[in-house]
Amino acid sequence: MPGAFTNCQKRKSDRLKARVEAICSTLSHEERLAVVKRTNAWATAMIVAGFGCFIGLTAGLWHLLRAEALRFGIGSACMCWFGSWRLFAEAKLILNFDEEQEHPSESEENEEVA
């Protein structure tokens, strides 16, 4: 069973890398940095929305459920918090792609010379 989970993660990671390469291959350095900035802003907004969801749901259900309301608040906020991880990972992949485009490795430069 652990192998299936790892394969699923690998497929998702490969799809994300392919998506980032498809999007970023036509963008300039400045445009890629703007995309990274916007993606990080969206991820941060999701974290803030998660806190708002946690506070709002917990406060709204507190009069009915008391401490049990914390479970619902945390459970609903986790979707926003965990969803932001993907956006942060996407921004990191874009930065890595940008670094590869701006500073190709020495092996690639040697191949071009030969």
Side-chain angles (χ1 to χ4, degrees):
M1 192 63 150
F5 185 69
T6 305
N7 290 337
C8 180
Q9 284 180 323
K10 186 176 182 329
R11 285 193 309 265
K12 284 184 179 182
S13 175
D14 291 343
R15 280 193 307 235
L16 182 60
K17 286 179 185 176
R19 180 175 173 255
V20 165
E21 288 178 6
I23 292 171
C24 294
S25 61
T26 59
L27 300 177
S28 68
H29 172 70
E30 291 79 20
E31 291 170 331
R32 285 191 291 263
L33 291 180
V35 169
V36 167
K37 187 176 180 180
R38 188 173 53 238
T39 304
N40 280 334
W42 276 106
T44 305
M46 285 185 70
I47 291 173
V48 172
F51 280 111
C53 185
F54 168 70
I55 292 169
L57 200 54
T58 302
L61 293 174
W62 189 262
H63 71 285
L64 295 173
L65 303 174
R66 300 287 178 212
E68 288 290 316
L70 290 171
R71 288 178 30 194
F72 290 103
I74 291 172
S76 62
C78 282
M79 299 308 287
C80 291
W81 295 333
F82 295 149
S84 69
W85 290 355
R86 182 173 187 262
L87 291 174
F88 281 124
E90 184 176 331
K92 186 176 179 181
L93 284 174
I94 293 171
L95 284 176
N96 289 342
F97 181 83
D98 184 55
E99 186 175 316
E100 290 174 4
Q101 294 297 315
E102 294 297 315
H103 307 288
S105 66
E106 294 177 4
S107 62
E108 291 176 0
E109 291 176 357
N110 292 338
E111 290 174 6
E112 292 175 1
V113 172

